Amino acid sequence: MENKPLLRSLVPGQFAALVDSLGAPAYRARQLQEWAFKHGATDWAEMGNLPRTLRQALAERYDLSALQLQERQLASDQTRKFLFRLRDGQTIESVIIPMADHATFCLSSQVGCAMACTFCATARGGLERQLTAGEIVEQVIRLRADLHHDPIPGLGDRGHNVVFMGMGEPLDNWEAVEVALRILMTPDGLAMSRRRIQISTSGPAAGLRQLIATAPGVGLTLSLGGSTDQERKQVMPVPGRTSLQEALRLAADYGRQAGRRVTIAWVLIQHTTDLPEQARRLAGLLKGHNFKVNLIPLNPLSDSKLVPTEQPRVLAFQQVLTAAGVPTFIRASGGRDIDAACGQLRRRRQDR
Ligand code: SAH
């Protein structure tokens, strides 16, 4: 059977037309919207203030829920990793990462990924399909509910950030990601500030241009993995990859437009992406632009020979960049004792 569209794929402005088409009075739109986004309902029966006939009419046309929790892993550092099963049996991962005073929700934008990065578990299976906006938004709903029912001790109550750093290349699914962003940010949706949202991309030019054309104002992270096109090709060997220069130029354009500093994500792989000359070249590429760098020591995959860079070399790499005036931070990769590297949990379950 063909899946129904998800209620949470509608942007708040569309709810008025929906209730009107079902012959219900206008104020029902606001109630329905609140169930969808504010209360995060996952069952029509929860919508106690809506008449049963309206709920039935809605349920005939829309699905309220598309994600079923299949597995939840808890790391010693309190990172929580979720494997969700979708209506067609595909699975995706989402993660809650505890930060100093808030939680970061790491979302998937596709089932699988076409980007073929050598260090990434998601890349191994290729791209299965795009996620819909409703499937993206529901990840936030589910993670938020998890935190609500089971708060992380000592985390404080500063809410959550959202990063598109889970499975997939968000700019290759811009149509759905763009709708999801609007739902996340509108006051009648999830009412999140654009400052709390970050898109991470491997930098396809077409996608970056769409991002600039839409101007959502959210943060941008560009994953580099190499200081020349040749180096990048070895670590991120997707055919037709946008050149480094062009990706950096478009990212900088977007950063200026959004009034935000763009982040460069750099995975540190021993003897591959941690050479001093790479740090020097990277500094040269970034100098004079409003970029900062996040160094991410590789989260090693069990079936790969790639090894994370050791701490002294991480610090040396950082030192070269900071000496050149590029603000550079070392990001701990969380959840080492669970399958926290992008796509690892899903992959392990598929292998069974
Ligand atoms: N396709 C997008 C978003 C998904 S990857 C992108 O490329 O940015 C999100 C981030 O996770 C990227 O910066 C990527 O380099 C990093 N990453 C993926 N697998 C990793 C691993 N095994 N160890 C460390 N970082 C990893």
Side-chain angles (χ1 to χ4, degrees):
M1 199 185 73
E2 189 70 359
N3 280 326
K4 295 170 193 162
L6 285 168
L7 185 71
R8 270 181 282 259
S9 280
L10 297 181
V11 295
Q14 294 172 315
F15 282 68
L18 170 61
V19 301
D20 188 55
S21 75
L22 298 176
Y27 70 92
R28 297 291 185 199
R30 169 157 299 275
Q31 290 176 323
L32 182 59
Q33 228 163 262
E34 286 186 350
W35 284 115
F37 301 121
K38 190 168 163 207
H39 307 308
T42 53
D43 189 330
W44 299 105
E46 289 174 53
M47 303 185 180
N49 59 358
L50 297 186
R52 182 188 295 271
T53 48
L54 178 57
R55 280 186 267 150
Q56 273 165 354
L58 287 165
E60 275 165 27
R61 291 162 178 81
Y62 290 90
D63 276 348
L64 189 55
S65 165
L67 271 56
Q68 208 188 333
L69 182 64
Q70 195 165 331
E71 190 167 342
R72 179 182 186 266
Q73 289 187 337
L74 199 56
S76 52
D77 66 4
Q78 297 293 331
T79 298
R80 294 175 185 177
K81 184 142 197 174
F82 302 80
L83 187 69
F84 292 113
R85 170 189 276 276
L86 306 171
R87 290 171 295 175
D88 60 358
Q90 297 278 8
T91 51
I92 53 165
E93 296 178 2
S94 319
V95 190
I96 299 178
I97 306 159
M99 306 300 277
D101 64 354
H102 67 271
T104 293
F105 293 174
C106 182
L107 308 187
S108 291
S109 57
Q110 297 180 311
V111 182
C113 186
M115 292 298 108
C117 303
T118 55
F119 51 85
C120 176
T122 303
R124 301 297 169 78
L127 177 65
E128 295 281 354
R129 71 166 170 87
Q130 305 287 13
L131 289 182
T132 65
E135 289 168 330
I136 295 169
V137 171
E138 193 177 332
Q139 293 173 63
V140 180
I141 300 289
R142 298 281 177 177
L143 299 187
R144 195 179 66 177
D146 186 85
L147 263 192
H148 183 75
H149 293 302
D150 186 7
I152 295 177
L155 187 64
D157 196 21
R158 295 283 310 280
H160 54 262
N161 290 7
V162 160
V163 298
F164 286 84
M165 295 186 187
M167 293 168 34
E169 171 44 60
L171 295 189
D172 278 352
N173 185 18
W174 183 239
E175 206 181 317
V177 170
E178 193 263 324
V179 173
L181 288 179
R182 275 196 277 154
I183 294 169
L184 293 187
M185 291 192 288
T186 45
D188 292 337
L190 291 174
M192 290 187 68
S193 158
R194 67 188 183 93
R195 303 246 152 230
R196 306 197 75 159
I197 301 174
Q198 186 82 215
I199 286 185
S200 183
T201 180
S202 59
L208 286 167
R209 289 202 190 92
Q210 281 175 307
L211 181 72
I212 291 167
T214 318
V218 300
L220 180 68
T221 296
L222 178 63
S223 303
L224 277 196
S227 63
T228 64
D229 284 325
Q230 196 52 37
E231 280 173 24
R232 275 198 107 203
K233 210 188 276 172
Q234 266 154 31
V235 178
M236 304 163 81
V238 60
R241 153 117 29 241
T242 299
S243 77
L244 189 54
Q245 290 290 352
E246 189 175 15
L248 283 169
R249 186 177 56 75
L250 290 169
D253 286 350
Y254 176 77
R256 263 191 303 279
Q257 175 195 71
R260 295 180 67 152
R261 176 187 272 171
V262 171
T263 302
I264 300 296
W266 185 278
V267 183
L268 283 169
I269 308 169
Q270 193 178 54
H271 304 321
T272 308
T273 61
D274 63 356
L275 313 177
E277 70 254 33
Q278 289 173 318
R280 280 193 292 275
R281 262 197 307 269
L282 179 60
L285 286 169
L286 304 185
K287 244 204 300 216
H289 290 290
N290 195 16
F291 288 125
K292 70 163 181 163
V293 175
N294 277 347
L295 300 175
I296 314 160
L298 175 75
N299 208 330
L301 310 184
S302 53
D303 61 347
S304 158
K305 291 196 182 72
L306 302 178
V307 174
T309 297
E310 278 166 19
Q311 189 68 359
R313 282 175 76 87
V314 175
L315 293 172
F317 200 95
Q318 179 189 35
Q319 183 52 39
V320 173
L321 286 159
T322 40
V326 181
T328 304
F329 305 89
I330 298 166
R331 299 304 292 257
S333 49
R336 276 284 169 94
D337 53 340
I338 58 170
D339 298 310
C342 184
Q344 254 180 187
L345 171 58
R346 165 169 171 269
R347 179 132 196 100
R348 203 182 302 266
R349 293 304 166 255
Q350 284 174 334
D351 286 349
R352 274 196 181 153

